[in-house]
Amino acid sequence: MATSFSPMASSPFSSSPSSLSAPRATVGESPVARAASEKVIHLVRHGQTEMNVYLHENHWADPNFKDPLLWDTRLTSRGQQQAQSLSTVTSTLSPRPEVVAVSPLTRAMHTAQLAFPSYQSEARWVAQPDARERLYHSSDIGRPVDELRGDGYHFVDYSLIEEEETWWGGDPYVLKPLEPEESFKGRMVNLTRWLASLDEDCVALVCHWGVLYHLTDRQFANCELMTVRLGDLTTFKDRCCCA
């Protein structure tokens, strides 16, 4: 079982992981894999973006679709309000995240900054490039680390991407073909393995629709929060992340 909260819902659920089902032991499961499966993960999708608004009126599958060139798309004012509203929930999370892992795309970074303000001094913040959205449009083209730091995200640890300037899979301001499905799936396996490898028992992961759909088989609204155990993620249950 998972618990969920969405600022867009008329009657949001409480986001207390106390209602999470007890982890079930698996025959032959190693102690390391069992401990990893019990980690609590607070999953969050970013707030509404300029690209979300554009795609609402212009479906990407339309043969006449034109990319609006919203490079590394930003949150709208509504998206910022959604993230700020979520902060009232994150401030009372139990267990409290010991790590805030965030996609380095600006919409996720900004959402995390607004939604988890009380954790900047008490949690470890890590930019995790495998948590970026599948590369579809200009909005999924990221920016170099020095630009992110210059925008105020200096409290984030960029050591996972420091040596890879084009961590988003392409050059700045250059459209790329759709990221191959197998490449994206491989990133999701790597992301799950990374979460399992962390020493901390509770992690907040702020990322994207495509990432969250692949991990949970569930569609997330903007700024929706869902609390699960790592062992409940599809990529973990596939047994590819327990080695």
Side-chain angles (χ1 to χ4, degrees):
M1 180 185 296
T3 57
S4 177
F5 169 86
S6 172
M8 300 301 295
S10 57
S11 300
F13 294 101
S14 167
S15 185
S16 170
S18 60
S19 60
L20 288 172
S21 58
R24 289 189 287 268
T26 302
V27 175
E29 186 177 50
S30 71
V32 173
R34 186 176 304 116
S37 71
E38 296 175 6
K39 289 178 186 287
V40 173
I41 313 294
H42 301 295
L43 302 170
V44 177
R45 185 189 173 196
H46 62 77
Q48 184 196 66
T49 67
E50 301 162 320
M51 191 62 152
N52 290 150
V53 174
Y54 183 82
L55 291 174
H56 182 71
E57 302 294 334
N58 304 270
H59 197 277
W60 62 269
D62 189 302
N64 296 318
F65 177 80
K66 183 176 181 180
D67 193 303
L69 303 183
L70 294 169
W71 308 102
D72 194 15
T73 187
R74 307 305 202 267
L75 297 182
T76 62
S77 58
R78 185 183 187 188
Q80 293 178 49
Q81 292 169 0
Q82 290 170 335
Q84 289 168 342
S85 295
L86 186 59
S87 69
T88 62
V89 175
T90 66
S91 63
T92 60
L93 285 174
S94 177
R96 293 178 71 78
E98 302 160 86
V99 177
V100 177
V102 58
S103 157
L105 288 168
T106 298
R107 57 191 183 272
M109 300 278 279
H110 197 184
T111 297
Q113 184 183 43
L114 295 175
F116 291 87
S118 62
Y119 293 87
Q120 287 188 28
S121 60
E122 66 176 88
R124 183 164 67 95
W125 288 62
V126 181
Q128 172 45 274
D130 284 332
R132 69 188 184 273
E133 182 61 286
R134 184 178 179 186
L135 185 58
Y136 286 97
H137 308 297
S138 58
S139 53
D140 305 317
I141 300 289
R143 296 182 295 150
V145 168
D146 59 348
E147 290 189 26
L148 296 175
R149 285 200 183 100
D151 277 356
Y153 306 114
H154 49 78
F155 51 89
V156 179
D157 175 5
Y158 296 97
S159 59
L160 294 178
I161 60 174
E162 201 74 68
E163 302 302 322
E164 188 183 353
E165 292 188 0
T166 56
W167 51 265
W168 55 90
D171 297 325
Y173 310 116
V174 176
L175 288 177
K176 296 281 288 183
L178 174 67
E179 180 180 2
E181 184 176 8
E182 288 308 307
S183 173
F184 177 70
K185 286 182 176 179
R187 281 204 285 115
M188 297 304 96
V189 170
N190 290 339
L191 174 60
T192 309
R193 285 177 173 160
W194 179 79
L195 290 169
S197 74
L198 295 175
D199 293 331
E200 293 86 353
D201 296 323
C202 182
V203 182
L205 176 62
V206 184
C207 51
H208 307 274
W209 184 94
V211 174
L212 294 168
Y213 184 76
H214 190 84
L215 294 179
T216 66
D217 286 330
R218 184 179 184 281
Q219 299 193 47
F220 277 62
N222 288 122
C223 257
E224 182 173 355
L225 181 151
M226 182 178 182
T227 298
V228 300
R229 294 190 188 277
L230 181 62
D232 292 330
L233 298 183
T234 302
T235 40
F236 195 96
K237 289 189 289 188
D238 286 345
R239 315 312 295 166
C240 58
C241 301
C242 302

